[in-house]
Amino acid sequence: MNFLNKLKQFRDYENQLKWEGTFADYLELVKKNPQIAQSAHSRVYQMIVSAGVSEKDGHKHYHFFDGQIYGLDEAIERLVEEYFHPAAKRLDVKKRILLLMGPVSGGKSTIVTMLKRGLEKYSWTDDGAIYAIKDCPMHEDPLHLIPAHLRDDFFEETGIRIEGNLSPLNTMRLEKDYDGKIENVPVERIFLSEDKRVGIGTFSPSDPKSQDIADLTGSIDFSTIAEFGSESDPRAYRFDGELNKANRGLMEFQEMLKCDEKFLWHLLSLTQEGNFKAGRFALISADELIVAHTNETEYRTFISNKKNEALHSRMIVMPVPYNLKVGEEEKIYQKLISESDVADVHVAPHALRTAAIFSILTRLKESKGRGIDLVKKMRLYDGEMVEGYNAADIKELQHEFSDEGMSGIDPRYVINRISSAIIRKGVPSINALDILRSIKEGLDQHPSITDEDRERYTEFIATARREYDELAKREVQKAFVYSFEESAKTLMDNYLDNVEAYCNRNKIFDPITGDEIDPDEKLMRSIEEQIGISENAKKAFREEILIRISAYARKGRRFNYKSHERLQEAIQKKLFADLKDVVKITTSSKTPDETQLKRINEVIARLVDEYGYNTTSANELLRYVGSLLNR
């Protein structure tokens, strides 16, 4: 009943938004809000911007793509800033086909789908409102009714520039039905919809021998010729091709480069002049954004053909590479799993991250002369700190290869292998080892992987497992720490007391003996060595810690062990190192005594309550880490 009420509320809302009036009424709306007369390119740009834009490190993040596109911030920023924004300003970029070029399952189709669905929703808002000549099959812009000789006057009065000419059908209707009185022509508000073929179209090539150009430009309605007497009568023509129906919005041209030439040449006139030829009529104006997508191999083949030069010069090619950040790749897998029928299966913590590590390693290129391996490069790209490298180094690495991310394992393959692991295991829980095992087994079945790639990928699986081993040991060791926060605080306070005395060249007061003693160099080094601080670098690191403490104190904030990322890591690693033997004995004992059993149960409870495991995956983790520590 609730749902039926919602349907009724939506119908009421739809009726409220509907609008009909004359062209004269429409002009009043335009004077109050000129934005309703914007071009299709401008509408797409405004739609993207209206969802919010944030800026970090000089780069813009467009929130319109949040929740669907991950790790492609730079590609999205380039797409918006180099195509949508200048096209919205009526610059020459508007006269180009947008071609998204990248590897399979890289996000190209998702971007286009988001634009189409976004336009549908945006047309229901006040800012995205669109009006058209009523009963026009192409949902034509009412401003096309204004004669060419009056358009300069209209621009001076309103600041709105009119592009395009009235279609043959509306030209006839204006003369026959309204005696040339444009002020009486009916206008209505339209809502974009791909399903209803209003302002959004999709063209997919089929057999070039059988596919008709009418799929793009419409066709003659032979059943009406007897009624209207001529094939050149616009009433005897079906304006139902994808170019007709996508007018005022967007048309997706799937597999464009596989299309027959006769279809491609129609796009030349449309992109450059804003019109196309159909039937025995004058050129038909259309205001729409053409988006196509292809992979790199097809694109290279296309541009190598000299016959395609004219079309190539009318394209804006936007590379859409694979994501290269482990954290973002993990989100892709989470999204795909959540949309499937196995969303209720428990995926153990770090399982998807381990799979993401493998995927990213296959997409990265070995840096030349930088002295950095792929694992360090992966960590830098993911935002981790790697000693000896800074932000400038990351930027240099990112610009070293123009095609980095254009090859490697695609997310779809990994999700297929995760699905296979879930089905094969037959229990409602899988872990990182299950996924890695499934990925390795699937390499032999992958049709496009060469023997050389298979060997490389097998090495990356081993690397991903080593990364997981460290994550697993750290997780268990952390869970074994009783009152971890308190232990960390005590260790940090002790370390800071010694660091302060060292930097100020003071002694430390021993509360037990009452003596003044030198700072405990052994303690400080045992912590600093956990994160690779060398003997030469220890003084600078300790001074850096004191400066951070002073900065916190000036701002009235409390400094704790989490206030400095590297100090936090060092404290944790030191605690874990001290506990290693305890963990090893407890997890590897085949017949644990009562104390050990109690501790294991406490650790399992902590893993379940605080770290996201279930009982099955927590027990599997303990057994695995026990075997690792006993090697």
Side-chain angles (χ1 to χ4, degrees):
M1 206 47 136
N2 245 349
F3 181 69
L4 292 177
N5 285 335
K6 287 182 179 178
L7 285 175
K8 183 179 180 303
Q9 288 170 7
F10 178 75
R11 280 198 304 271
D12 293 340
Y13 173 65
E14 187 177 22
N15 288 330
Q16 287 174 16
L17 291 182
K18 284 180 179 177
W19 182 93
E20 284 189 22
T22 63
F23 180 75
D25 298 328
Y26 173 68
L27 276 187
E28 292 303 314
L29 293 181
V30 171
K31 287 175 183 176
K32 289 177 185 174
N33 181 15
Q35 188 165 312
I36 64 176
Q38 66 186 324
S39 68
H41 291 78
S42 175
R43 192 172 294 111
V44 171
Y45 175 69
Q46 293 301 332
M47 170 190 73
I48 293 170
V49 171
S50 67
V53 185
S54 57
E55 196 163 337
K56 185 180 178 182
D57 300 329
H59 290 285
K60 289 182 179 177
H61 174 80
Y62 292 90
H63 297 285
F64 174 82
F65 299 94
D66 288 355
Q68 293 292 324
I69 301 293
Y70 299 98
L72 295 180
D73 278 4
E74 286 191 22
I76 293 294
E77 182 183 25
R78 193 184 314 122
L79 174 63
V80 176
E81 293 301 312
E82 295 183 16
Y83 184 79
F84 290 129
H85 194 178
K89 298 291 186 184
R90 299 179 186 270
L91 292 169
D92 213 45
V93 170
K94 180 186 174 184
K95 299 176 180 179
R96 305 289 182 269
I97 299 167
L98 174 61
L99 179 64
L100 305 179
M101 186 263 291
V104 295
S105 191
K108 305 184 298 296
S109 298
T110 304
I111 290 172
V112 179
T113 301
M114 289 191 74
L115 292 174
K116 292 197 290 188
R117 297 295 83 80
L119 274 173
E120 289 177 342
K121 292 179 183 176
Y122 192 59
S123 68
W124 286 78
T125 67
D126 291 341
D127 290 338
I130 309 172
Y131 296 82
I133 297 172
K134 190 178 181 184
D135 297 328
C136 171
M138 287 184 59
H139 318 106
E140 189 167 9
D141 186 347
L143 294 182
H144 285 183
L145 289 161
I146 297 176
H149 66 276
L150 292 178
R151 291 185 177 184
D152 288 340
D153 295 338
F154 185 77
F155 175 70
E156 287 179 16
E157 187 177 332
T158 63
I160 297 171
R161 198 181 302 277
I162 302 171
E163 294 180 348
N165 299 315
L166 198 60
S167 66
L169 179 61
N170 285 321
T171 300
M172 176 178 282
R173 288 175 61 198
L174 178 61
E175 294 303 320
K176 286 184 176 292
D177 300 342
Y178 304 104
D179 292 328
K181 295 177 180 178
I182 66 173
E183 64 271 21
N184 293 335
V185 175
V187 174
E188 64 180 346
R189 180 172 180 179
I190 61 171
F191 303 97
L192 302 190
S193 168
E194 184 169 21
D195 292 339
K196 295 178 181 178
R197 301 191 76 203
V198 179
I200 296 177
T202 301
F203 183 80
S204 183
S206 55
D207 182 0
K209 294 179 181 177
S210 62
Q211 190 161 30
D212 193 343
I213 196 69
D215 293 347
L216 264 187
T217 61
S219 61
I220 296 169
D221 186 352
F222 290 100
S223 66
T224 62
I225 290 177
E227 180 184 351
F228 298 117
S230 170
E231 291 183 13
S232 59
D233 190 310
R235 292 171 298 179
Y237 195 85
R238 290 196 187 105
F239 293 90
D240 60 355
E242 291 305 313
L243 292 181
N244 306 105
K245 292 300 183 180
N247 185 37
R248 312 300 299 285
L250 177 152
M251 190 188 85
E252 176 186 7
F253 210 128
Q254 296 179 347
E255 305 295 345
M256 189 184 83
L257 303 187
K258 291 179 180 175
C259 217
D260 189 78
E261 287 179 15
K262 65 182 178 183
F263 292 92
L264 298 180
W265 296 123
H266 267 279
L267 300 181
L268 288 176
S269 175
L270 178 62
T271 53
Q272 191 66 34
E273 306 299 336
N275 50 44
F276 62 92
K277 192 77 173 70
R280 300 178 181 182
F281 307 116
L283 292 169
I284 297 175
S285 296
D287 173 30
E288 59 196 82
L289 191 155
I290 306 291
V291 187
H293 41 90
T294 187
N295 60 51
E296 192 173 10
T297 304
E298 286 175 357
Y299 175 69
R300 299 297 172 202
T301 304
F302 175 78
I303 61 172
S304 65
N305 188 340
K306 293 291 184 183
K307 291 197 298 183
N308 296 325
E309 283 183 357
L311 192 61
H312 179 232
S313 66
R314 287 170 172 81
M315 289 180 181
I316 293 288
V317 181
M318 287 290 168
V320 181
Y322 283 133
N323 156 60
L324 295 177
K325 296 177 181 177
V326 172
E328 297 298 300
E329 187 75 8
E330 195 175 355
K331 291 176 186 175
I332 294 174
Y333 302 153
Q334 287 168 346
K335 183 192 91 168
L336 293 174
I337 288 174
S338 70
E339 294 171 350
S340 72
D341 291 336
V342 295
D344 58 333
V345 173
H346 173 75
V347 181
H350 310 303
L352 297 183
R353 183 170 185 82
T354 304
I357 288 171
F358 162 74
S359 297
I360 300 302
L361 287 172
T362 68
R363 301 169 190 170
L364 295 177
K365 290 184 175 289
E366 295 271 3
S367 187
K368 300 170 184 175
R370 292 284 311 164
I372 184 170
D373 59 33
L374 286 184
V375 173
K376 284 183 180 177
K377 189 176 188 180
M378 174 190 74
R379 288 177 178 158
L380 283 171
Y381 280 10
D382 202 37
E384 292 184 41
M385 292 182 65
V386 176
E387 191 172 2
Y389 298 91
N390 54 35
D393 295 318
I394 298 174
K395 189 170 286 188
E396 191 176 324
L397 285 168
Q398 289 171 332
H399 289 91
E400 185 177 3
F401 301 102
S402 60
D403 60 343
E404 189 169 50
M406 298 299 278
S407 61
I409 287 292
D410 63 283
R412 210 172 282 153
Y413 169 78
V414 175
I415 284 297
N416 290 344
R417 300 317 303 166
I418 290 173
S419 303
S420 176
I422 289 171
I423 301 302
R424 187 186 294 112
K425 195 172 182 185
V427 295
S429 176
I430 61 166
N431 58 40
L433 299 180
D434 297 324
I435 294 175
L436 287 180
R437 194 178 300 116
S438 182
I439 288 173
K440 187 173 183 180
E441 289 170 358
L443 291 179
D444 292 331
Q445 305 163 21
H446 201 297
S448 61
I449 293 179
T450 64
D451 290 339
E452 185 183 347
D453 283 338
R454 192 173 290 109
E455 188 176 333
R456 280 178 57 244
Y457 291 171
T458 302
E459 290 176 9
F460 291 145
I461 290 172
T463 303
R465 178 167 179 172
R466 286 194 294 273
E467 292 293 303
Y468 172 68
D469 289 350
E470 292 305 311
L471 285 170
K473 284 189 284 188
R474 201 178 308 148
E475 196 92 308
V476 170
Q477 288 169 333
K478 189 193 291 186
F480 260 86
V481 177
Y482 178 75
S483 186
F484 177 74
E485 295 290 332
E486 195 59 38
S487 303
K489 183 179 182 303
T490 302
L491 183 58
M492 185 201 71
D493 288 342
N494 198 358
Y495 174 74
L496 293 181
D497 287 342
N498 282 278
V499 164
E500 188 175 3
Y502 169 85
C503 291
N504 295 329
R505 298 181 183 179
N506 292 334
K507 300 277 187 180
I508 286 181
F509 177 75
D510 189 324
I512 297 174
T513 65
D515 297 333
E516 285 190 338
I517 57 175
D518 291 327
D520 190 342
E521 185 66 23
K522 187 176 180 181
L523 169 75
M524 291 186 286
R525 292 301 294 143
S526 70
I527 292 171
E528 292 157 357
E529 285 170 352
Q530 300 295 329
I531 52 172
I533 301 294
S534 66
E535 186 70 26
N536 292 333
K538 69 180 184 183
K539 185 173 184 292
F541 180 74
R542 294 169 187 176
E543 289 172 347
E544 179 191 325
I545 297 292
L546 281 190
I547 291 170
R548 180 72 62 89
I549 293 172
S550 300
Y552 268 62
R554 281 199 307 274
K555 295 174 183 175
R557 294 165 61 189
R558 184 178 179 81
F559 184 91
N560 60 45
Y561 91 100
K562 292 181 179 179
S563 301
H564 190 286
E565 285 186 16
R566 300 194 70 204
L567 177 59
Q568 177 185 0
E569 183 186 353
I571 295 288
Q572 287 179 349
K573 284 186 173 179
K574 172 61 178 166
L575 284 172
F576 297 158
D578 294 344
L579 275 170
K580 187 173 181 179
D581 290 337
V582 177
V583 176
K584 188 192 298 185
I585 293 167
T586 311
T587 56
S588 61
S589 178
K590 292 181 180 178
T591 54
D593 59 31
E594 189 177 339
T595 305
Q596 290 172 335
L597 194 60
K598 182 183 176 185
R599 189 148 203 179
I600 287 173
N601 289 334
E602 285 177 352
V603 169
I604 289 174
R606 192 168 287 119
L607 287 170
V608 172
D609 295 340
E610 299 178 22
Y611 299 116
Y613 291 83
N614 66 5
T615 307
T616 304
S617 59
N619 274 292
E620 288 173 343
L621 178 72
L622 282 179
R623 285 197 297 272
Y624 181 63
V625 170
S627 70
L628 285 178
L629 295 176
N630 279 298
R631 286 176 187 172

